[in-house]
Amino acid sequence: MSDSQLLSGPIGVFDSGYGGLTILDGIRTLMPQYDYIYLGDNARTPYGTRSFDIVFEFTLQAVKKLFSFGCPLVILGCNTASAKALRSIQQQYLPDNAPDRRVLGVIRPTAETVGKLTRTRHIGVLATEGTIRSESYTLEIQKLYPGSVVVGQACPMWVPLVENGEADKPGADYFVRDSIKKLLEKDALIDTIILGCTHYPLLMPKITKYCPEGITIVPQGEYIARSLEDYLKRHEEMNRRITRGGTCRYFTSESTHKFHECASIFLKEEVEAEHVCLI
Ligand code: DGL
């Protein structure tokens, strides 16, 4: 099939809920020229505590929906979906069902970045229980930077705090301090910490408050954006297929009213969402 016959359309960004808006924000800031579609599976969030099979099933439904909207390229802007579903989608679904489309995740680009930032080669990962259990960061970092020590800490309360608009309230301090303390107690040589969940940048003021000086904290939005820019430079055939109108549409599997209210916490701007059924 020649390039001109291949479908053109927006970049799709998927997340289990609102967190992927921090990834979308990073990408749109760097590449405002493209069209985007954001899809949040808010009706079934959180994914962090769900099994591999369920995360795969839900993520595949979302990817199919974004394909049906015409996206040639989909970013899983969710660590849990990237950890638990990306490989199966790339290896089992795409080759037979959508060989001309691409689905990319957030773990590899983050792993590439962190290896360039650490000096001690001791890296901490704060993420959902599902991402930590999958050991995706450990495997990816050690593949890219053999000899690195990767230590994870699940933060089960952080997503609910953000989702419920409690990120800047005093009640969040205990949970942020506690998870960071637990992580650093496991390995005192950690000098770089990945925020391996899209919601966590919203807790940044408290994270920096409770992280000892000298530790580099790595939020993902900016790094994922740079990695995607690099990918599109290296894949000119895909780059040509992304439409350029500077638009962004938002879809949610939950109430559009709630999305409108909550998305502004993540984006600091008002957005109108459309409802979508993923089943
Ligand atoms: N957005 C998800 C992530 O980056 C966290 C939210 C959830 O548990 O669904 O891991």
Side-chain angles (χ1 to χ4, degrees):
M1 206 184 286
S2 77
D3 267 12
S4 58
Q5 288 170 295
L6 290 171
L7 166 137
S8 297
I11 296 174
V13 178
F14 167 68
D15 186 54
S16 58
Y18 301 109
L21 292 169
T22 60
I23 303 289
L24 176 74
D25 194 40
I27 296 176
R28 285 192 77 203
T29 302
L30 189 66
M31 293 172 284
Q33 71 274 27
Y34 296 124
D35 291 315
Y36 296 90
I37 291 184
Y38 183 84
L39 170 54
D41 190 7
N42 302 87
R44 302 187 292 193
T45 199
Y47 280 16
T49 44
R50 294 187 188 272
S51 68
F52 265 86
D53 288 352
I54 293 293
V55 172
F56 171 68
E57 188 186 320
F58 289 180
T59 305
L60 183 58
Q61 287 168 350
V63 166
K64 284 182 184 170
K65 187 59 73 177
L66 285 164
F67 284 171
S68 78
F69 291 153
C71 299
L73 174 66
V74 170
I75 313 298
L76 300 186
C78 172
N79 289 269
T80 311
S82 299
K84 292 185 163 187
L86 178 65
R87 185 161 304 177
S88 304
I89 290 174
Q90 286 175 333
Q91 294 177 357
Q92 290 164 27
Y93 180 75
L94 292 184
D96 289 338
N97 299 286
D100 60 323
R101 318 266 189 132
R102 292 291 172 270
V103 179
L104 306 175
V106 290
I107 291 186
R108 192 182 168 96
T110 310
E112 280 168 0
T113 299
V114 83
K116 292 176 197 149
L117 297 175
T118 177
R119 294 170 311 280
T120 62
R121 294 252 172 263
H122 287 243
I123 295 154
V125 182
L126 297 169
T128 65
E129 200 183 310
T131 300
I132 296 297
R133 280 232 197 108
S134 75
E135 301 210 322
S136 300
Y137 273 109
T138 309
L139 297 170
E140 203 64 53
I141 293 169
Q142 289 178 342
K143 195 160 67 192
L144 292 167
Y145 304 100
S148 301
V149 177
V150 184
V151 181
Q153 175 64 42
C155 312
M157 286 306 293
W158 289 22
V159 168
L161 284 169
V162 173
E163 290 273 332
N164 292 306
E166 297 285 325
D168 55 354
K169 303 286 187 316
D173 281 70
Y174 169 81
F175 296 102
V176 172
R177 191 176 51 226
D178 185 56
S179 296
I180 291 174
K181 186 167 160 276
K182 282 180 179 151
L183 176 71
L184 297 177
E185 273 171 5
K186 290 178 192 171
D187 185 345
L189 293 177
I190 290 171
D191 72 344
T192 310
I193 296 180
I194 296 172
L195 300 188
C197 172
T198 51
H199 285 64
Y200 296 177
L202 276 288
L203 289 159
M204 198 55 136
K206 292 198 195 294
I207 294 169
T208 44
K209 184 170 157 193
Y210 293 114
C211 251
E213 252 179 62
I215 293 187
T216 306
I217 299 160
V218 185
Q220 296 178 299
E222 182 192 326
Y223 298 111
I224 302 302
R226 280 205 226 132
S227 164
L228 179 60
E229 184 184 48
D230 181 54
Y231 173 88
L232 290 170
K233 274 188 195 141
R234 285 184 289 110
H235 295 84
E236 188 46 42
E237 75 294 346
M238 177 57 79
N239 192 20
R240 276 198 295 272
R241 292 169 61 194
I242 310 297
T243 50
R244 288 152 167 82
T247 65
C248 188
R249 288 174 73 189
Y250 298 87
F251 289 87
T252 174
S253 57
E254 242 287 351
S255 126
T256 53
H257 180 69
K258 187 152 182 262
F259 191 94
H260 174 81
E261 269 179 18
C262 296
S264 58
I265 303 174
F266 289 82
L267 288 177
K268 306 271 177 282
E269 64 172 305
E270 301 282 308
V271 297
E272 294 299 334
E274 297 161 66
H275 184 261
V276 74
C277 185
L278 293 179
I279 303 163

